[in-house]
Amino acid sequence: MAERKKAVKNGADIIVDYLVAQKVPYVFGLCGHGNVGFLDSLYKRSDKIKTISVRHESAAGFMADAYFRISHKPVATITSCGPGSANLPVALAAAFMDSSAFLAITGNVPTSQFNREPFQETGKYFQGDFPSVVRPYVKRSYQPTRTDMVPLAVRQGFKEMVVGRPGPVHLDVPLNVFIEEDEVEVFDEVDYQITVNQRTSASNEAIDRIIELLKEAKRPLIVAGNGAVLSEASKEITELSDFLNIPVHTTPQGKGIVDERKPLSLGATGRNGTYPANQAGKHCDLLIAFGSSFDDRSTSAWLDGYTYDMTKTKLVHIDIDPHEIGKNYEVHLGIVADAKTVAAQILARAKEVFADQKPDYSEWLRQVAEWKKIWTDHVEEQFRKGGYPVHPARVVGEVRKALPENGILGVDVGVHHNWVVQYWQAYAPQKLLQSWGFASMGLATCGILGAKLASPDSPCVAIVGDGSFLMHGHILATAKEYGIPAVWVVWNNYAYGSIRDLQHGYFGGRELITSFQIDKTGELYNPDFVAYAKAFGVKAEKVNEADELSAAVKRALELNEPYLIEVHVDRDIRPPGTGTWVLPPFKHPEPNFPAK
């Protein structure tokens, strides 16, 4: 082991030097009196790491989250004590629930003022207790209270983010620790790089058991989830599907793991999944799951006979997180291992065992092809819908037509998200940005900038609801300030549409605070989004005809600068139900596709 050198450094320099050594390109954040010492250190290393200022702290978190989802490389955020950092938890929770990683650095009051309730100290009964604010939404929280504690905290925290199941990590630093110096160890840049090999494999016995199950099966199916995306298992799962002729459907978070234009790719599952995805799920006799948590929205709330029927299906569940195995469904075979590695193992063994003759799934494939044709014909019909306001499916189809193959689509939470999950064809993984588990409004509105920074050569478009966009419209200022080219398509339906739909479904159409309207007259109301964008110096236009939308998106992308497009979308057309979902004690709705 090489001898460690020592040097006198302050806490802020230790952290920034570590980030530079880890080749972290960006810190997203907002200034405050609790982090001015850290900002000075970032200034000194601005040739190696760029700091981007936002107008609200949640935007920093969403941008960092999105950066990781697209690149699978973590960046950092910086916020100040009290309300500054208290604006961050919604973004931390979005990352935590979807296994996305960033280092959340928060400033705190000086340790000499702990327990005296100085300006913006968090904790009436516990000193400097901001870690308790975020503890439910991070993998680990560190609070070094002396400069000599910083090296270990930042090194452990950075490793914790990316090893095993990824997730955000919190580093809370009192102001004096940012500024005070101490003699600490200095590491060479090469020593800082995270080099943990996480490609854990399945045992030979487990792989052989899967092969035997494939021999016995008549109707096998693969489901790929977010864990498969995080494992970057697209190539291996696609090759496995192609070699054995096994259909693949995905969770909504797994969209793109197999190109959805391929004949064996069936789309996403759940209440607003595709028809062939749900049909295949409930009729398969063997389900091989790569990195799926089987949450309620992707499984039709675990009700047998809607997305799956686990009374008739043998489940092989592969996940790097042992907590997920058997959490929501009893497994026939559970494997705690890396999805990419296990898919490659199954494929290699299958090529040996089935070298002369592959299993015959022809009858199953014929049935799957029929289901897929029914859905494809339906989608093509929806994509031809005209009229004003614009048909929701048509919006999705026109944006898909305009976005190049390497493009990234962000979609915020709302009824528009349901339409995108169901109708958007994803061509590759890490090209669809969405908040799923925590379902935070703002990930796409703000995060589309993080996505663009993570993949500069990819055109980036965000479909955002009028509700979610107005929560985070300040992001236009950041895009303008830093010249980050992204396109926002504002889905204007004058409502928090998904909740309005619940009111209509469960309460006979009685609405309260879900429509945007003038209180005295009931007239539908939204601000002028085009004028709003132009006030930020961002070019914008309103599209009134569906035929104009694709051309508008193409124009915006060619300009290569921030751009907003407003579309008035029909608020009374609802996505078809191919599965179901339930909010106990309400009764679940029955699927309405195909129409009887």
mmCIF file with all atom_site columns, all heavy atoms in Angstrom, residues 510-533:
data_model
loop_
_atom_site.group_PDB
_atom_site.id
_atom_site.type_symbol
_atom_site.label_atom_id
_atom_site.label_alt_id
_atom_site.label_comp_id
_atom_site.label_asym_id
_atom_site.label_entity_id
_atom_site.label_seq_id
_atom_site.pdbx_PDB_ins_code
_atom_site.Cartn_x
_atom_site.Cartn_y
_atom_site.Cartn_z
_atom_site.occupancy
_atom_site.B_iso_or_equiv
_atom_site.pdbx_formal_charge
_atom_site.auth_seq_id
_atom_site.auth_comp_id
_atom_site.auth_asym_id
_atom_site.auth_atom_id
_atom_site.pdbx_PDB_model_num
ATOM 1   N N   . ARG A 1 510 ? -68.415 14.646 -8.836  1.00 0.00 ? 510 ARG A N   1
ATOM 2   C CA  . ARG A 1 510 ? -68.334 15.806 -7.939  1.00 0.00 ? 510 ARG A CA  1
ATOM 3   C C   . ARG A 1 510 ? -66.877 16.239 -7.843  1.00 0.00 ? 510 ARG A C   1
ATOM 4   O O   . ARG A 1 510 ? -66.014 15.503 -7.371  1.00 0.00 ? 510 ARG A O   1
ATOM 5   C CB  . ARG A 1 510 ? -68.891 15.459 -6.562  1.00 0.00 ? 510 ARG A CB  1
ATOM 6   C CG  . ARG A 1 510 ? -70.378 15.110 -6.579  1.00 0.00 ? 510 ARG A CG  1
ATOM 7   C CD  . ARG A 1 510 ? -70.960 15.048 -5.166  1.00 0.00 ? 510 ARG A CD  1
ATOM 8   N NE  . ARG A 1 510 ? -70.350 14.005 -4.348  1.00 0.00 ? 510 ARG A NE  1
ATOM 9   C CZ  . ARG A 1 510 ? -70.725 12.723 -4.351  1.00 0.00 ? 510 ARG A CZ  1
ATOM 10  N NH1 . ARG A 1 510 ? -71.691 12.330 -5.176  1.00 0.00 ? 510 ARG A NH1 1
ATOM 11  N NH2 . ARG A 1 510 ? -70.154 11.856 -3.556  1.00 0.00 ? 510 ARG A NH2 1
ATOM 12  N N   . GLU A 1 511 ? -66.593 17.460 -8.307  1.00 0.00 ? 511 GLU A N   1
ATOM 13  C CA  . GLU A 1 511 ? -65.222 17.972 -8.356  1.00 0.00 ? 511 GLU A CA  1
ATOM 14  C C   . GLU A 1 511 ? -65.003 19.024 -7.275  1.00 0.00 ? 511 GLU A C   1
ATOM 15  O O   . GLU A 1 511 ? -65.889 19.838 -7.007  1.00 0.00 ? 511 GLU A O   1
ATOM 16  C CB  . GLU A 1 511 ? -64.939 18.630 -9.705  1.00 0.00 ? 511 GLU A CB  1
ATOM 17  C CG  . GLU A 1 511 ? -64.874 17.703 -10.885 1.00 0.00 ? 511 GLU A CG  1
ATOM 18  C CD  . GLU A 1 511 ? -64.468 18.458 -12.142 1.00 0.00 ? 511 GLU A CD  1
ATOM 19  O OE1 . GLU A 1 511 ? -63.654 19.410 -12.039 1.00 0.00 ? 511 GLU A OE1 1
ATOM 20  O OE2 . GLU A 1 511 ? -64.971 18.129 -13.226 1.00 0.00 ? 511 GLU A OE2 1
ATOM 21  N N   . LEU A 1 512 ? -63.825 19.016 -6.695  1.00 0.00 ? 512 LEU A N   1
ATOM 22  C CA  . LEU A 1 512 ? -63.401 20.092 -5.807  1.00 0.00 ? 512 LEU A CA  1
ATOM 23  C C   . LEU A 1 512 ? -61.896 20.267 -5.956  1.00 0.00 ? 512 LEU A C   1
ATOM 24  O O   . LEU A 1 512 ? -61.133 19.311 -5.798  1.00 0.00 ? 512 LEU A O   1
ATOM 25  C CB  . LEU A 1 512 ? -63.751 19.776 -4.348  1.00 0.00 ? 512 LEU A CB  1
ATOM 26  C CG  . LEU A 1 512 ? -63.409 20.875 -3.333  1.00 0.00 ? 512 LEU A CG  1
ATOM 27  C CD1 . LEU A 1 512 ? -64.280 22.117 -3.573  1.00 0.00 ? 512 LEU A CD1 1
ATOM 28  C CD2 . LEU A 1 512 ? -63.586 20.380 -1.905  1.00 0.00 ? 512 LEU A CD2 1
ATOM 29  N N   . ILE A 1 513 ? -61.468 21.438 -6.310  1.00 0.00 ? 513 ILE A N   1
ATOM 30  C CA  . ILE A 1 513 ? -60.079 21.902 -6.465  1.00 0.00 ? 513 ILE A CA  1
ATOM 31  C C   . ILE A 1 513 ? -59.238 21.037 -7.395  1.00 0.00 ? 513 ILE A C   1
ATOM 32  O O   . ILE A 1 513 ? -58.009 21.056 -7.320  1.00 0.00 ? 513 ILE A O   1
ATOM 33  C CB  . ILE A 1 513 ? -59.359 22.089 -5.104  1.00 0.00 ? 513 ILE A CB  1
ATOM 34  C CG1 . ILE A 1 513 ? -59.074 20.768 -4.381  1.00 0.00 ? 513 ILE A CG1 1
ATOM 35  C CG2 . ILE A 1 513 ? -60.122 23.057 -4.209  1.00 0.00 ? 513 ILE A CG2 1
ATOM 36  C CD1 . ILE A 1 513 ? -58.118 20.905 -3.197  1.00 0.00 ? 513 ILE A CD1 1
ATOM 37  N N   . THR A 1 514 ? -59.858 20.306 -8.309  1.00 0.00 ? 514 THR A N   1
ATOM 38  C CA  . THR A 1 514 ? -59.054 19.589 -9.297  1.00 0.00 ? 514 THR A CA  1
ATOM 39  C C   . THR A 1 514 ? -59.054 20.279 -10.647 1.00 0.00 ? 514 THR A C   1
ATOM 40  O O   . THR A 1 514 ? -58.162 20.039 -11.458 1.00 0.00 ? 514 THR A O   1
ATOM 41  C CB  . THR A 1 514 ? -59.553 18.140 -9.467  1.00 0.00 ? 514 THR A CB  1
ATOM 42  O OG1 . THR A 1 514 ? -60.964 18.132 -9.684  1.00 0.00 ? 514 THR A OG1 1
ATOM 43  C CG2 . THR A 1 514 ? -59.236 17.303 -8.239  1.00 0.00 ? 514 THR A CG2 1
ATOM 44  N N   . SER A 1 515 ? -60.038 21.124 -10.924 1.00 0.00 ? 515 SER A N   1
ATOM 45  C CA  . SER A 1 515 ? -60.042 21.929 -12.149 1.00 0.00 ? 515 SER A CA  1
ATOM 46  C C   . SER A 1 515 ? -59.483 23.313 -11.852 1.00 0.00 ? 515 SER A C   1
ATOM 47  O O   . SER A 1 515 ? -59.659 23.846 -10.753 1.00 0.00 ? 515 SER A O   1
ATOM 48  C CB  . SER A 1 515 ? -61.463 22.055 -12.712 1.00 0.00 ? 515 SER A CB  1
ATOM 49  O OG  . SER A 1 515 ? -61.855 20.871 -13.354 1.00 0.00 ? 515 SER A OG  1
ATOM 50  N N   . PHE A 1 516 ? -58.810 23.872 -12.840 1.00 0.00 ? 516 PHE A N   1
ATOM 51  C CA  . PHE A 1 516 ? -58.305 25.243 -12.727 1.00 0.00 ? 516 PHE A CA  1
ATOM 52  C C   . PHE A 1 516 ? -59.364 26.159 -13.329 1.00 0.00 ? 516 PHE A C   1
ATOM 53  O O   . PHE A 1 516 ? -59.609 26.116 -14.544 1.00 0.00 ? 516 PHE A O   1
ATOM 54  C CB  . PHE A 1 516 ? -56.980 25.397 -13.469 1.00 0.00 ? 516 PHE A CB  1
ATOM 55  C CG  . PHE A 1 516 ? -55.920 24.405 -13.037 1.00 0.00 ? 516 PHE A CG  1
ATOM 56  C CD1 . PHE A 1 516 ? -54.978 23.943 -13.942 1.00 0.00 ? 516 PHE A CD1 1
ATOM 57  C CD2 . PHE A 1 516 ? -55.865 23.943 -11.735 1.00 0.00 ? 516 PHE A CD2 1
ATOM 58  C CE1 . PHE A 1 516 ? -54.006 23.041 -13.556 1.00 0.00 ? 516 PHE A CE1 1
ATOM 59  C CE2 . PHE A 1 516 ? -54.888 23.043 -11.330 1.00 0.00 ? 516 PHE A CE2 1
ATOM 60  C CZ  . PHE A 1 516 ? -53.954 22.582 -12.245 1.00 0.00 ? 516 PHE A CZ  1
ATOM 61  N N   . GLN A 1 517 ? -60.011 26.990 -12.493 1.00 0.00 ? 517 GLN A N   1
ATOM 62  C CA  . GLN A 1 517 ? -61.104 27.807 -12.983 1.00 0.00 ? 517 GLN A CA  1
ATOM 63  C C   . GLN A 1 517 ? -61.284 29.039 -12.110 1.00 0.00 ? 517 GLN A C   1
ATOM 64  O O   . GLN A 1 517 ? -60.847 29.080 -10.959 1.00 0.00 ? 517 GLN A O   1
ATOM 65  C CB  . GLN A 1 517 ? -62.402 26.987 -13.020 1.00 0.00 ? 517 GLN A CB  1
ATOM 66  C CG  . GLN A 1 517 ? -62.784 26.375 -11.674 1.00 0.00 ? 517 GLN A CG  1
ATOM 67  C CD  . GLN A 1 517 ? -63.886 25.333 -11.797 1.00 0.00 ? 517 GLN A CD  1
ATOM 68  O OE1 . GLN A 1 517 ? -63.913 24.557 -12.750 1.00 0.00 ? 517 GLN A OE1 1
ATOM 69  N NE2 . GLN A 1 517 ? -64.810 25.334 -10.837 1.00 0.00 ? 517 GLN A NE2 1
ATOM 70  N N   . ILE A 1 518 ? -61.914 30.032 -12.691 1.00 0.00 ? 518 ILE A N   1
ATOM 71  C CA  . ILE A 1 518 ? -62.250 31.241 -11.962 1.00 0.00 ? 518 ILE A CA  1
ATOM 72  C C   . ILE A 1 518 ? -63.370 30.910 -10.968 1.00 0.00 ? 518 ILE A C   1
ATOM 73  O O   . ILE A 1 518 ? -64.413 30.370 -11.346 1.00 0.00 ? 518 ILE A O   1
ATOM 74  C CB  . ILE A 1 518 ? -62.704 32.357 -12.911 1.00 0.00 ? 518 ILE A CB  1
ATOM 75  C CG1 . ILE A 1 518 ? -61.607 32.660 -13.949 1.00 0.00 ? 518 ILE A CG1 1
ATOM 76  C CG2 . ILE A 1 518 ? -63.065 33.612 -12.123 1.00 0.00 ? 518 ILE A CG2 1
ATOM 77  C CD1 . ILE A 1 518 ? -60.310 33.161 -13.382 1.00 0.00 ? 518 ILE A CD1 1
ATOM 78  N N   . ASP A 1 519 ? -63.147 31.208 -9.717  1.00 0.00 ? 519 ASP A N   1
ATOM 79  C CA  . ASP A 1 519 ? -64.070 30.776 -8.666  1.00 0.00 ? 519 ASP A CA  1
ATOM 80  C C   . ASP A 1 519 ? -65.486 31.309 -8.869  1.00 0.00 ? 519 ASP A C   1
ATOM 81  O O   . ASP A 1 519 ? -66.463 30.583 -8.698  1.00 0.00 ? 519 ASP A O   1
ATOM 82  C CB  . ASP A 1 519 ? -63.524 31.223 -7.303  1.00 0.00 ? 519 ASP A CB  1
ATOM 83  C CG  . ASP A 1 519 ? -64.355 30.689 -6.145  1.00 0.00 ? 519 ASP A CG  1
ATOM 84  O OD1 . ASP A 1 519 ? -64.647 29.475 -6.152  1.00 0.00 ? 519 ASP A OD1 1
ATOM 85  O OD2 . ASP A 1 519 ? -64.716 31.470 -5.253  1.00 0.00 ? 519 ASP A OD2 1
ATOM 86  N N   . LYS A 1 520 ? -65.603 32.557 -9.265  1.00 0.00 ? 520 LYS A N   1
ATOM 87  C CA  . LYS A 1 520 ? -66.928 33.169 -9.335  1.00 0.00 ? 520 LYS A CA  1
ATOM 88  C C   . LYS A 1 520 ? -67.719 32.737 -10.563 1.00 0.00 ? 520 LYS A C   1
ATOM 89  O O   . LYS A 1 520 ? -68.952 32.683 -10.529 1.00 0.00 ? 520 LYS A O   1
ATOM 90  C CB  . LYS A 1 520 ? -66.804 34.695 -9.303  1.00 0.00 ? 520 LYS A CB  1
ATOM 91  C CG  . LYS A 1 520 ? -66.360 35.233 -7.945  1.00 0.00 ? 520 LYS A CG  1
ATOM 92  C CD  . LYS A 1 520 ? -66.354 36.759 -7.930  1.00 0.00 ? 520 LYS A CD  1
ATOM 93  C CE  . LYS A 1 520 ? -65.968 37.285 -6.553  1.00 0.00 ? 520 LYS A CE  1
ATOM 94  N NZ  . LYS A 1 520 ? -65.946 38.776 -6.513  1.00 0.00 ? 520 LYS A NZ  1
ATOM 95  N N   . THR A 1 521 ? -67.028 32.447 -11.658 1.00 0.00 ? 521 THR A N   1
ATOM 96  C CA  . THR A 1 521 ? -67.733 32.163 -12.919 1.00 0.00 ? 521 THR A CA  1
ATOM 97  C C   . THR A 1 521 ? -67.643 30.706 -13.353 1.00 0.00 ? 521 THR A C   1
ATOM 98  O O   . THR A 1 521 ? -68.442 30.254 -14.177 1.00 0.00 ? 521 THR A O   1
ATOM 99  C CB  . THR A 1 521 ? -67.161 33.028 -14.053 1.00 0.00 ? 521 THR A CB  1
ATOM 100 O OG1 . THR A 1 521 ? -65.793 32.637 -14.303 1.00 0.00 ? 521 THR A OG1 1
ATOM 101 C CG2 . THR A 1 521 ? -67.216 34.501 -13.683 1.00 0.00 ? 521 THR A CG2 1
ATOM 102 N N   . GLY A 1 522 ? -66.656 29.963 -12.840 1.00 0.00 ? 522 GLY A N   1
ATOM 103 C CA  . GLY A 1 522 ? -66.452 28.594 -13.281 1.00 0.00 ? 522 GLY A CA  1
ATOM 104 C C   . GLY A 1 522 ? -65.704 28.484 -14.597 1.00 0.00 ? 522 GLY A C   1
ATOM 105 O O   . GLY A 1 522 ? -65.497 27.383 -15.112 1.00 0.00 ? 522 GLY A O   1
ATOM 106 N N   . GLU A 1 523 ? -65.292 29.628 -15.157 1.00 0.00 ? 523 GLU A N   1
ATOM 107 C CA  . GLU A 1 523 ? -64.549 29.613 -16.425 1.00 0.00 ? 523 GLU A CA  1
ATOM 108 C C   . GLU A 1 523 ? -63.178 28.960 -16.219 1.00 0.00 ? 523 GLU A C   1
ATOM 109 O O   . GLU A 1 523 ? -62.468 29.255 -15.255 1.00 0.00 ? 523 GLU A O   1
ATOM 110 C CB  . GLU A 1 523 ? -64.360 31.051 -16.913 1.00 0.00 ? 523 GLU A CB  1
ATOM 111 C CG  . GLU A 1 523 ? -63.552 31.172 -18.184 1.00 0.00 ? 523 GLU A CG  1
ATOM 112 C CD  . GLU A 1 523 ? -63.228 32.616 -18.516 1.00 0.00 ? 523 GLU A CD  1
ATOM 113 O OE1 . GLU A 1 523 ? -63.649 33.514 -17.732 1.00 0.00 ? 523 GLU A OE1 1
ATOM 114 O OE2 . GLU A 1 523 ? -62.541 32.853 -19.523 1.00 0.00 ? 523 GLU A OE2 1
ATOM 115 N N   . LEU A 1 524 ? -62.826 28.038 -17.132 1.00 0.00 ? 524 LEU A N   1
ATOM 116 C CA  . LEU A 1 524 ? -61.528 27.390 -17.045 1.00 0.00 ? 524 LEU A CA  1
ATOM 117 C C   . LEU A 1 524 ? -60.429 28.436 -17.161 1.00 0.00 ? 524 LEU A C   1
ATOM 118 O O   . LEU A 1 524 ? -60.507 29.362 -17.979 1.00 0.00 ? 524 LEU A O   1
ATOM 119 C CB  . LEU A 1 524 ? -61.381 26.330 -18.133 1.00 0.00 ? 524 LEU A CB  1
ATOM 120 C CG  . LEU A 1 524 ? -62.314 25.116 -18.014 1.00 0.00 ? 524 LEU A CG  1
ATOM 121 C CD1 . LEU A 1 524 ? -62.081 24.151 -19.174 1.00 0.00 ? 524 LEU A CD1 1
ATOM 122 C CD2 . LEU A 1 524 ? -62.121 24.399 -16.679 1.00 0.00 ? 524 LEU A CD2 1
ATOM 123 N N   . TYR A 1 525 ? -59.389 28.257 -16.353 1.00 0.00 ? 525 TYR A N   1
ATOM 124 C CA  . TYR A 1 525 ? -58.342 29.291 -16.279 1.00 0.00 ? 525 TYR A CA  1
ATOM 125 C C   . TYR A 1 525 ? -56.955 28.665 -16.181 1.00 0.00 ? 525 TYR A C   1
ATOM 126 O O   . TYR A 1 525 ? -56.735 27.717 -15.436 1.00 0.00 ? 525 TYR A O   1
ATOM 127 C CB  . TYR A 1 525 ? -58.559 30.189 -15.058 1.00 0.00 ? 525 TYR A CB  1
ATOM 128 C CG  . TYR A 1 525 ? -57.334 31.004 -14.707 1.00 0.00 ? 525 TYR A CG  1
ATOM 129 C CD1 . TYR A 1 525 ? -56.989 32.139 -15.447 1.00 0.00 ? 525 TYR A CD1 1
ATOM 130 C CD2 . TYR A 1 525 ? -56.494 30.610 -13.672 1.00 0.00 ? 525 TYR A CD2 1
ATOM 131 C CE1 . TYR A 1 525 ? -55.845 32.868 -15.151 1.00 0.00 ? 525 TYR A CE1 1
ATOM 132 C CE2 . TYR A 1 525 ? -55.351 31.336 -13.362 1.00 0.00 ? 525 TYR A CE2 1
ATOM 133 C CZ  . TYR A 1 525 ? -55.025 32.458 -14.097 1.00 0.00 ? 525 TYR A CZ  1
ATOM 134 O OH  . TYR A 1 525 ? -53.890 33.170 -13.811 1.00 0.00 ? 525 TYR A OH  1
ATOM 135 N N   . ASN A 1 526 ? -56.042 29.194 -16.936 1.00 0.00 ? 526 ASN A N   1
ATOM 136 C CA  . ASN A 1 526 ? -54.609 28.984 -16.786 1.00 0.00 ? 526 ASN A CA  1
ATOM 137 C C   . ASN A 1 526 ? -53.913 30.257 -17.244 1.00 0.00 ? 526 ASN A C   1
ATOM 138 O O   . ASN A 1 526 ? -54.467 31.009 -18.063 1.00 0.00 ? 526 ASN A O   1
ATOM 139 C CB  . ASN A 1 526 ? -54.123 27.794 -17.635 1.00 0.00 ? 526 ASN A CB  1
ATOM 140 C CG  . ASN A 1 526 ? -53.808 26.570 -16.788 1.00 0.00 ? 526 ASN A CG  1
ATOM 141 O OD1 . ASN A 1 526 ? -53.379 26.689 -15.640 1.00 0.00 ? 526 ASN A OD1 1
ATOM 142 N ND2 . ASN A 1 526 ? -54.008 25.386 -17.348 1.00 0.00 ? 526 ASN A ND2 1
ATOM 143 N N   . PRO A 1 527 ? -52.728 30.512 -16.765 1.00 0.00 ? 527 PRO A N   1
ATOM 144 C CA  . PRO A 1 527 ? -51.977 31.645 -17.306 1.00 0.00 ? 527 PRO A CA  1
ATOM 145 C C   . PRO A 1 527 ? -51.599 31.386 -18.758 1.00 0.00 ? 527 PRO A C   1
ATOM 146 O O   . PRO A 1 527 ? -51.695 30.255 -19.248 1.00 0.00 ? 527 PRO A O   1
ATOM 147 C CB  . PRO A 1 527 ? -50.731 31.699 -16.411 1.00 0.00 ? 527 PRO A CB  1
ATOM 148 C CG  . PRO A 1 527 ? -50.586 30.328 -15.871 1.00 0.00 ? 527 PRO A CG  1
ATOM 149 C CD  . PRO A 1 527 ? -51.975 29.789 -15.728 1.00 0.00 ? 527 PRO A CD  1
ATOM 150 N N   . ASP A 1 528 ? -51.168 32.422 -19.417 1.00 0.00 ? 528 ASP A N   1
ATOM 151 C CA  . ASP A 1 528 ? -50.689 32.322 -20.791 1.00 0.00 ? 528 ASP A CA  1
ATOM 152 C C   . ASP A 1 528 ? -49.268 31.751 -20.735 1.00 0.00 ? 528 ASP A C   1
ATOM 153 O O   . ASP A 1 528 ? -48.310 32.453 -20.423 1.00 0.00 ? 528 ASP A O   1
ATOM 154 C CB  . ASP A 1 528 ? -50.705 33.707 -21.433 1.00 0.00 ? 528 ASP A CB  1
ATOM 155 C CG  . ASP A 1 528 ? -50.298 33.676 -22.906 1.00 0.00 ? 528 ASP A CG  1
ATOM 156 O OD1 . ASP A 1 528 ? -49.566 32.746 -23.303 1.00 0.00 ? 528 ASP A OD1 1
ATOM 157 O OD2 . ASP A 1 528 ? -50.680 34.596 -23.639 1.00 0.00 ? 528 ASP A OD2 1
ATOM 158 N N   . PHE A 1 529 ? -49.124 30.460 -21.021 1.00 0.00 ? 529 PHE A N   1
ATOM 159 C CA  . PHE A 1 529 ? -47.829 29.805 -20.879 1.00 0.00 ? 529 PHE A CA  1
ATOM 160 C C   . PHE A 1 529 ? -46.801 30.361 -21.869 1.00 0.00 ? 529 PHE A C   1
ATOM 161 O O   . PHE A 1 529 ? -45.606 30.413 -21.561 1.00 0.00 ? 529 PHE A O   1
ATOM 162 C CB  . PHE A 1 529 ? -47.980 28.296 -21.075 1.00 0.00 ? 529 PHE A CB  1
ATOM 163 C CG  . PHE A 1 529 ? -48.687 27.616 -19.939 1.00 0.00 ? 529 PHE A CG  1
ATOM 164 C CD1 . PHE A 1 529 ? -50.013 27.219 -20.067 1.00 0.00 ? 529 PHE A CD1 1
ATOM 165 C CD2 . PHE A 1 529 ? -48.040 27.380 -18.736 1.00 0.00 ? 529 PHE A CD2 1
ATOM 166 C CE1 . PHE A 1 529 ? -50.676 26.601 -19.023 1.00 0.00 ? 529 PHE A CE1 1
ATOM 167 C CE2 . PHE A 1 529 ? -48.694 26.756 -17.682 1.00 0.00 ? 529 PHE A CE2 1
ATOM 168 C CZ  . PHE A 1 529 ? -50.013 26.366 -17.822 1.00 0.00 ? 529 PHE A CZ  1
ATOM 169 N N   . VAL A 1 530 ? -47.251 30.751 -23.026 1.00 0.00 ? 530 VAL A N   1
ATOM 170 C CA  . VAL A 1 530 ? -46.322 31.306 -24.019 1.00 0.00 ? 530 VAL A CA  1
ATOM 171 C C   . VAL A 1 530 ? -45.758 32.632 -23.522 1.00 0.00 ? 530 VAL A C   1
ATOM 172 O O   . VAL A 1 530 ? -44.545 32.879 -23.567 1.00 0.00 ? 530 VAL A O   1
ATOM 173 C CB  . VAL A 1 530 ? -47.031 31.469 -25.382 1.00 0.00 ? 530 VAL A CB  1
ATOM 174 C CG1 . VAL A 1 530 ? -46.135 32.240 -26.356 1.00 0.00 ? 530 VAL A CG1 1
ATOM 175 C CG2 . VAL A 1 530 ? -47.376 30.095 -25.951 1.00 0.00 ? 530 VAL A CG2 1
ATOM 176 N N   . ALA A 1 531 ? -46.634 33.500 -23.016 1.00 0.00 ? 531 ALA A N   1
ATOM 177 C CA  . ALA A 1 531 ? -46.170 34.772 -22.472 1.00 0.00 ? 531 ALA A CA  1
ATOM 178 C C   . ALA A 1 531 ? -45.275 34.548 -21.252 1.00 0.00 ? 531 ALA A C   1
ATOM 179 O O   . ALA A 1 531 ? -44.281 35.268 -21.059 1.00 0.00 ? 531 ALA A O   1
ATOM 180 C CB  . ALA A 1 531 ? -47.371 35.641 -22.098 1.00 0.00 ? 531 ALA A CB  1
ATOM 181 N N   . TYR A 1 532 ? -45.632 33.562 -20.448 1.00 0.00 ? 532 TYR A N   1
ATOM 182 C CA  . TYR A 1 532 ? -44.832 33.214 -19.266 1.00 0.00 ? 532 TYR A CA  1
ATOM 183 C C   . TYR A 1 532 ? -43.411 32.855 -19.675 1.00 0.00 ? 532 TYR A C   1
ATOM 184 O O   . TYR A 1 532 ? -42.437 33.367 -19.113 1.00 0.00 ? 532 TYR A O   1
ATOM 185 C CB  . TYR A 1 532 ? -45.516 32.048 -18.555 1.00 0.00 ? 532 TYR A CB  1
ATOM 186 C CG  . TYR A 1 532 ? -44.839 31.539 -17.301 1.00 0.00 ? 532 TYR A CG  1
ATOM 187 C CD1 . TYR A 1 532 ? -45.153 32.071 -16.057 1.00 0.00 ? 532 TYR A CD1 1
ATOM 188 C CD2 . TYR A 1 532 ? -43.920 30.495 -17.352 1.00 0.00 ? 532 TYR A CD2 1
ATOM 189 C CE1 . TYR A 1 532 ? -44.570 31.575 -14.893 1.00 0.00 ? 532 TYR A CE1 1
ATOM 190 C CE2 . TYR A 1 532 ? -43.322 30.002 -16.203 1.00 0.00 ? 532 TYR A CE2 1
ATOM 191 C CZ  . TYR A 1 532 ? -43.647 30.540 -14.980 1.00 0.00 ? 532 TYR A CZ  1
ATOM 192 O OH  . TYR A 1 532 ? -43.066 30.064 -13.837 1.00 0.00 ? 532 TYR A OH  1
ATOM 193 N N   . ALA A 1 533 ? -43.275 31.987 -20.667 1.00 0.00 ? 533 ALA A N   1
ATOM 194 C CA  . ALA A 1 533 ? -41.940 31.582 -21.114 1.00 0.00 ? 533 ALA A CA  1
ATOM 195 C C   . ALA A 1 533 ? -41.171 32.759 -21.686 1.00 0.00 ? 533 ALA A C   1
ATOM 196 O O   . ALA A 1 533 ? -39.980 32.933 -21.407 1.00 0.00 ? 533 ALA A O   1
ATOM 197 C CB  . ALA A 1 533 ? -42.060 30.466 -22.150 1.00 0.00 ? 533 ALA A CB  1
#
